[in-house]
Amino acid sequence: MDLEDWRREIDILDQKLLELLNRRAECAMEIGRIKQAIEQPIFVPEREKSILNRILELNEGPTDDEAVRRIFQQIIDESRRLMQKNQES
């Protein structure tokens, strides 16, 4: 494959990642609605730690664990922000 082939591959993967991120956000917002209904807190540190640990166990590279941790921490933070925003509206 040449440079343009690799770029097209990345474009396809970016689209799929965006679709998955938006689906994850929908799930997080639904979880936020359920938590609000049953009066549970949005932020559960143990759950977030569990998610990160699980992801790191699954990581086979070449992305190193620290990069994976930063990426998923940002995803989790944005999911929590969406949950909180949804509760405020």
Side-chain angles (χ1 to χ4, degrees):
M1 288 189 1
D2 66 12
L3 179 61
E4 287 307 311
D5 292 331
W6 285 112
R7 286 179 173 165
R8 276 190 293 278
E9 181 71 12
I10 285 177
D11 289 345
I12 291 166
L13 292 169
D14 286 347
Q15 180 179 348
K16 290 178 182 179
L17 283 169
L18 181 58
E19 290 168 1
L20 290 170
L21 286 170
N22 282 322
R23 178 64 184 132
R24 190 186 193 286
E26 291 169 354
C27 292
M29 290 171 62
E30 188 58 35
I31 288 169
R33 281 189 277 278
I34 293 168
K35 284 182 171 184
Q36 184 176 24
I38 61 176
E39 299 180 355
Q40 284 192 358
I42 296 270
F43 181 55
V44 181
E46 299 81 20
R47 172 65 179 149
E48 290 189 12
K49 184 177 179 181
S50 171
I51 292 168
L52 289 171
N53 287 340
R54 179 179 167 276
I55 290 300
L56 292 174
E57 286 175 14
L58 294 170
N59 184 31
E60 295 180 355
T63 307
D64 64 62
D65 282 354
E66 187 53 37
V68 169
R69 178 183 298 282
R70 285 192 313 269
I71 291 165
F72 274 86
Q73 186 62 61
Q74 189 65 42
I75 291 169
I76 291 167
D77 291 347
E78 289 302 320
S79 295
R80 187 179 338 106
R81 185 186 65 78
L82 283 172
M83 284 187 231
Q84 290 168 338
K85 181 181 173 183
N86 196 43
Q87 284 187 355
E88 293 168 2
S89 19

